[in-house]
Amino acid sequence: MVKHETITAINKSIKKESEKIMTLTFGIEIETSGVPYSSVNTQLRERGLKGFMSKPDGTPNVDAEIVLPPMPICQTSKEYIESICNALSEIGCRINRACGLHVHIGNAPLADTTHAARFTGDSIAHTERTSRFLSEHGETFDFTIVKDLFVRWERQQNIINTMFPSSRTNNRYCQQLSGRKIENANTIQELNHGKFYAINLDTWRNGTIEFRQHSGTIEADKIWRWLQFLDNFVSWTIEARVEHGNRSTTVETPTAPFRNGSRVGVQYTMMRNDNGATTRDIMDATGCSEQRVRAAVSEIRNRVGDNAVVTHTQQSNGARYGDGTDLTRYQVLQTIETETSGVTLLPENRIGIPSIWAGLDDSEFEWWQNRIAALR
């Protein structure tokens, strides 16, 4: 059973974790067989464990699903998982081919002022008290981040398959992702494949991204290795493959946004050159009145944006007051600079490699290579 850490131990953990760029949280669903969920609940609480929920899963041959509260990677959460797994083993829970291990990574990191060790204790206590999950998270991941996770996973799906028994590589509850669907997606909804896929975004509205491919286990070390792998997998995209903030992009204005042969189309073509066109020139070419020419300029602004249309006054064209009111010149720029905010992928010369192993600690990499070899 996990004992409360002393203030000194927590503060040491906080100091170590403050060196991280960000802190992710995870929630775990452990599926077991052999002991009914109600009995699991009773017997684990008799051993002093708190903060978990034991409930029916609904999958044939799975008797219980043990749901753990959101926690970050830290010594406190590691000891808590070990306590849960040891207790499940002691009361006779088993794993069969129908069982899986589902991990929910929070779709936002912990708030900067929230420390991992302290949050873990608060999260366990909050779930025990309310049967709800604690949230002290920052800004939700941008779509670009989530799409990159899908791209990287699908790109190396064959390697990921070697990390688990065959029961988890051809399983209708954790199906493989579609490269074409990922490529065409522009929103979270379009990216989501559905609940029973290796990565599931049905839980996005609840604040998580679910990873479903791991095989069932109550071995704490295997669970912890998978959590470290996923923590690194997500962190690598955020820290090495995307950038945040404003970015200037050069875009070309459309060559023909209006119907060919229409008066506004003719006017647009005249305006979209290096010199633009005066009101008088456009009136002569289209037969429109001065008022209609100016109205069409407004329509063009609405279509291509205010920053794409430049007005050159009569005076800047060398005309004088009294020369008429139709010598103003309008120009549609062929290219414009736009400022975009949010998250974008880094350029090719700076972006981190897409490998699922990138950034993973050497000892963790070796552990997975040995596991892959043992499963062959």
Side-chain angles (χ1 to χ4, degrees):
M1 182 178 70
V2 178
K3 296 182 174 64
H4 290 292
E5 292 179 292
T6 64
I7 295 298
T8 301
I10 290 178
N11 287 338
K12 284 182 179 179
S13 180
I14 288 171
K15 181 179 180 182
K16 182 177 181 181
E17 286 145 10
S18 66
E19 299 170 1
K20 293 182 178 180
I21 295 177
M22 63 170 187
T23 303
L24 303 175
T25 57
F26 58 84
I28 307 171
E29 298 169 356
I30 304 172
E31 296 177 351
T32 63
S33 68
V35 181
Y37 74 92
S38 57
S39 182
V40 169
N41 179 68
T42 300
Q43 295 191 62
L44 263 58
R45 281 187 160 72
E46 287 175 350
R47 286 165 168 76
L49 292 167
K50 300 180 183 299
F52 68 92
M53 291 183 282
S54 178
K55 59 183 184 178
D57 178 72
T59 304
N61 300 317
V62 175
D63 297 312
E65 180 182 70
I66 299 88
V67 181
L68 306 190
M71 299 176 288
I73 296 284
C74 66
Q75 184 61 30
T76 308
S77 59
K78 186 173 187 289
E79 292 176 0
Y80 179 71
I81 293 169
E82 289 171 347
S83 299
I84 292 288
C85 288
N86 289 338
L88 291 174
S89 178
E90 289 173 3
I91 68 174
C93 290
R94 300 188 300 274
I95 300 298
N96 58 37
R97 289 172 60 88
C99 297
L101 175 77
H102 303 157
V103 175
H104 292 256
I105 298 291
N107 65 8
L110 278 180
D112 292 340
T113 57
T114 304
H115 300 295
R118 189 165 292 150
F119 177 84
T120 300
D122 291 345
S123 180
I124 293 171
H126 180 83
T127 301
E128 179 65 22
R129 184 175 66 255
T130 67
S131 296
R132 301 176 66 87
F133 297 140
L134 181 65
S135 179
E136 293 181 8
H137 294 73
E139 187 176 350
T140 303
F141 295 157
D142 187 272
F143 169 75
T144 299
I145 292 172
V146 185
K147 183 168 182 175
D148 189 61
L149 296 176
F150 273 66
V151 168
R152 293 175 59 211
W153 190 283
E154 192 276 335
R155 181 178 179 272
Q156 293 195 269
Q157 180 71 70
N158 289 340
I159 293 177
I160 295 171
N161 288 346
T162 66
M163 299 162 64
F164 305 108
S166 58
S167 61
R168 302 305 290 181
T169 61
N170 186 23
N171 188 313
R172 71 184 186 93
Y173 292 109
C174 53
Q175 300 171 60
Q176 298 189 9
L177 304 176
S178 163
R180 178 172 294 183
K181 183 175 178 66
I182 295 168
E183 181 180 357
N184 294 331
N186 294 299
T187 65
I188 291 294
Q189 291 74 20
E190 293 174 356
L191 187 60
N192 186 25
H193 288 52
K195 178 177 180 179
F196 298 122
Y197 281 82
I199 306 180
N200 165 34
L201 294 178
D202 278 7
T203 62
W204 181 266
R205 61 184 178 275
N206 297 325
T208 71
I209 303 170
E210 184 183 24
F211 293 82
R212 296 176 59 87
Q213 192 159 353
H214 200 290
S215 50
T217 183
I218 53 174
E219 295 181 46
D221 184 58
K222 286 183 179 179
I223 295 175
W224 191 251
R225 302 280 186 174
W226 183 231
L227 294 177
Q228 289 180 303
F229 175 90
L230 291 178
D231 184 82
N232 177 78
F233 176 72
V234 176
S235 296
W236 180 256
T237 277
I238 297 171
E239 296 172 5
R241 290 181 54 78
V242 301
E243 61 183 347
H244 301 251
N246 295 330
R247 184 176 182 181
S248 180
T249 305
T250 301
V251 296
E252 186 176 343
T253 54
T255 57
F258 299 96
R259 191 172 67 256
N260 289 336
S262 65
R263 282 185 165 89
V264 68
V266 171
Q267 178 172 332
Y268 180 85
T269 300
M270 293 178 69
M271 290 170 56
R272 191 181 180 273
N273 63 52
D274 291 338
N275 296 313
T278 67
T279 303
R280 181 175 296 177
D281 292 335
I282 298 169
M283 290 168 64
D284 290 343
T286 64
C288 292
S289 67
E290 186 175 337
Q291 289 75 19
R292 284 194 63 186
V293 169
R294 298 188 193 285
V297 170
S298 297
E299 185 178 353
I300 290 169
R301 289 185 190 278
N302 291 334
R303 182 68 60 90
V304 299
D306 284 342
N307 59 337
V309 181
V310 179
T311 301
H312 303 277
T313 65
Q314 295 193 161
Q315 288 68 41
S316 68
N317 293 333
R320 297 173 299 173
Y321 289 109
D323 289 344
T325 60
D326 57 1
L327 294 176
T328 299
R329 181 164 50 92
Y330 298 103
Q331 179 185 7
V332 174
L333 300 177
Q334 296 183 33
T335 60
I336 56 175
E337 295 290 322
T338 62
E339 291 289 328
T340 58
S341 61
V343 178
T344 56
L345 287 176
L346 286 163
E348 288 297 325
N349 63 333
R350 292 169 51 207
I351 195 169
I353 63 174
S355 171
I356 60 171
W357 306 115
L360 195 65
D361 181 85
D362 287 348
S363 62
E364 295 302 313
F365 177 78
E366 291 176 13
W367 186 91
W368 281 105
Q369 297 311 303
N370 290 331
R371 174 169 169 78
I372 290 170
L375 288 170
R376 286 175 183 161

